[in-house]
Amino acid sequence: MTPLRLLVALSAFTAASHAMAWDYVLLDTDKAAQDFHITSAQLGVKTAKPFSVTLRTLHGGRQEGVSIVDIDNGAMKLSVVPTRGMNVLQASVGTVRMGWDSPVKEVVNPAFIELNGRGGLGWLEGFNELVTRCGYEWVGHPGMDNGELLTLHGRAANIPANKVTLHIDEKPPYAISLRGELKEQAFKKVDFSVATELVTEPGSVSFALNDTLTNNGDYPKEYQALYHSNFSTPFLEEGAKFAAPVKQVSPFNDKAKADLADWQTYRGPTRDYDETVYNVVPYADTQGDTLTVLHNKAGSLGVAVGFNTRQLPVFSLWKNTDTQGQGYVTGLEPGTSFSYNRRYQRPLGLVPTIEARQSKQFQIRYSLLADKAAVDKSLAEISQIQNGRQTEVRPTPLVDLSQE
């Protein structure tokens, strides 16, 4: 079973077993926030991997009032930030961390962020998560579109969830589901809701995101989504590699064009490197499932990101191999769209429309590949999806940004 099919099966199982689950409301606009803690022992669950879920509140500085939900499934520890779009702050298995070291050290409350600041780059003042939701009215670089300033990567990452619930299945494998609702609303402009879900199981080294975007308005509306998934050491190092079944790859801009020959290989921390981005159109299997992998130079440790191209048809590879202090990181980013400003993506057919009262689903699975056997297995799956099909290496960017 592929990672994404496992995700779908897990989601279906979770829904079917909802009536046989322990349910807790952790946060709600109708109730005062209170710390929360529950363990498998308190629930009377006898499992080889004891688990716990904790809700806590941060204080001091720009993180004042931020809520964090910590999930320890007995093998993997996850931290989710309801105050910041239900983003996944970090995940770790033992001493191996999935995440990165941003110069932004606090978990910044959106109340202290001005998205319009820095010419539309204010989003960067809170950017430090493992998984950051981008969208849903737009994604991409800041700039004008139809007379409106679109800020970097939309508002989702800075929308506090208005309700957060925890569901733990009463029967094995005791799936743990953390759900939140985001509302992206503006009079005359947009009426979106996003039902987010993070699912993991006791003892698992994987977690899945299962999000549903709904247009609650009376008119069709453009939308975009991108899942900014960010990794650093120990996966990222000189000689680390990215793998995927690739139909087409192109440089984002002229700077990326200069490194196109080595687009799948990483440098060590490099002063003044800044960043390069590559636009990827992945191949998928007959069900639309695809897989991407980042692994270290030796191929002995990696991470896998699986998704469905019928939901998220394109992929951006962000290589920010600047110094460690500047933020040595790479982004594996499945999306409906690339990272160009929305006005450039309409001609590319990457600004989809969601009808009134319609919903769209986005499902992504993240897995730690803890040894060479796990890395090799995922690479073999990628090779199977590629199935000998050719990769088109487009030498020029899809969009001419020289006049910006």
Side-chain angles (χ1 to χ4, degrees):
M1 181 178 289
T2 67
L4 199 69
R5 287 174 193 164
L6 180 61
L7 161 63
V8 173
L10 179 58
S11 298
F13 174 81
T14 303
S17 62
H18 176 67
M20 298 181 289
W22 289 286
D23 295 320
Y24 303 94
V25 177
L26 304 189
L27 294 169
D28 197 334
T29 53
D30 294 333
K31 61 178 286 188
Q34 296 182 5
D35 289 348
F36 172 90
H37 182 70
I38 195 74
T39 69
S40 51
Q42 288 174 315
L43 295 172
V45 172
K46 299 184 184 303
T47 174
K49 296 292 184 178
F51 60 84
S52 65
V53 180
T54 302
L55 169 68
R56 57 192 170 97
T57 304
L58 304 182
H59 299 287
R62 296 202 302 161
Q63 62 185 16
E64 179 64 40
V66 170
S67 296
I68 303 282
V69 179
D70 297 313
I71 301 172
D72 183 345
N73 73 10
M76 174 178 278
K77 296 180 179 179
L78 295 145
S79 294
V80 179
V81 192
T83 315
R84 292 184 50 80
M86 297 296 292
N87 293 337
V88 183
L89 179 64
Q90 58 189 3
S92 62
V93 177
T95 60
V96 178
R97 178 195 59 165
M98 300 164 67
W100 63 297
D101 294 315
S102 170
V104 179
K105 303 306 181 186
E106 296 179 321
V107 185
V108 181
N109 193 316
F112 300 108
I113 292 177
E114 175 51 63
L115 294 179
N116 289 337
R118 303 179 183 271
L121 292 172
W123 183 90
L124 295 173
E125 295 189 8
F127 178 50
N128 61 7
E129 294 101 340
L130 164 60
V131 183
T132 304
R133 288 179 172 82
C134 302
Y136 286 87
E137 196 176 359
W138 70 82
V139 302
H141 283 197
M144 301 301 295
D145 180 35
N146 292 331
E148 180 182 9
L149 173 62
L150 305 186
T151 58
L152 178 64
H153 283 322
R155 302 187 187 91
N158 289 278
I159 299 175
N162 66 297
K163 187 172 185 177
V164 179
T165 57
L166 172 67
H167 308 263
I168 302 172
D169 287 348
E170 294 183 14
K171 294 185 177 181
Y174 305 111
I176 303 165
S177 301
L178 183 70
R179 299 170 185 170
E181 185 177 47
L182 312 178
K183 290 188 178 294
E184 186 172 5
Q185 298 170 322
F187 180 59
K188 294 287 190 182
K189 295 293 184 180
V190 63
D191 188 2
F192 285 168
S193 60
V194 185
T196 73
E197 181 182 52
L198 181 147
V199 184
T200 190
E201 294 179 357
S204 174
V205 294
S206 300
F207 67 92
L209 301 183
N210 180 25
D211 293 351
T212 302
L213 168 69
T214 300
N215 177 11
N216 301 301
D218 291 333
Y219 301 98
K221 181 70 179 176
E222 291 180 334
Y223 75 96
Q224 293 179 292
L226 183 147
Y227 287 79
H228 214 300
S229 312
N230 308 297
F231 305 93
S232 185
T233 54
F235 317 102
L236 186 61
E237 61 181 357
E238 184 177 3
K241 292 186 177 181
F242 168 78
V246 180
K247 182 177 182 180
Q248 182 191 84
V249 60
S250 61
F252 183 82
N253 54 18
D254 287 340
K255 183 179 186 300
K257 182 169 63 175
D259 283 356
L260 182 58
D262 300 315
W263 76 275
Q264 289 179 277
T265 304
Y266 289 90
R267 304 185 185 199
T270 305
R271 189 172 185 84
D272 296 324
Y273 180 81
D274 195 28
E275 64 181 3
T276 52
V277 178
Y278 296 93
N279 307 318
V280 178
V281 180
Y283 283 116
D285 66 14
T286 56
Q287 303 301 312
D289 295 340
T290 195
L291 187 68
T292 64
V293 166
L294 168 70
H295 66 79
N296 64 359
K297 182 178 180 179
S300 59
L301 187 68
V303 289
V305 180
F307 57 100
N308 190 283
T309 58
R310 296 172 186 173
Q311 302 170 347
L312 301 165
V314 297
F315 182 92
S316 298
L317 183 67
W318 174 56
K319 300 171 71 177
N320 193 86
T321 51
D322 210 314
T323 64
Q324 289 281 5
Q326 186 73 9
Y328 180 64
V329 61
T330 187
L332 279 57
E333 307 170 17
T336 62
S337 317
F338 295 127
S339 289
Y340 298 110
N341 183 274
R342 188 175 65 185
R343 72 179 185 273
Y344 294 123
Q345 301 210 62
R346 288 193 190 89
L348 301 176
L350 296 176
V351 184
T353 298
I354 182 170
E355 299 296 324
R357 315 299 178 184
Q358 187 180 22
S359 295
K360 299 287 185 179
Q361 286 196 321
F362 312 111
Q363 297 170 315
I364 311 102
R365 185 173 181 84
Y366 299 86
S367 301
L368 173 69
L369 308 176
D371 51 34
K372 190 175 188 304
V375 172
D376 288 347
K377 182 179 180 181
S378 289
L379 293 179
E381 184 176 340
I382 288 172
S383 180
Q384 184 178 9
I385 296 172
Q386 186 87 33
N387 195 28
R389 291 177 287 186
Q390 294 297 307
T391 297
E392 177 192 357
V393 180
R394 181 187 170 105
T396 57
L398 298 172
V399 173
D400 182 4
L401 299 173
S402 61
Q403 301 305 313
E404 281 204 330

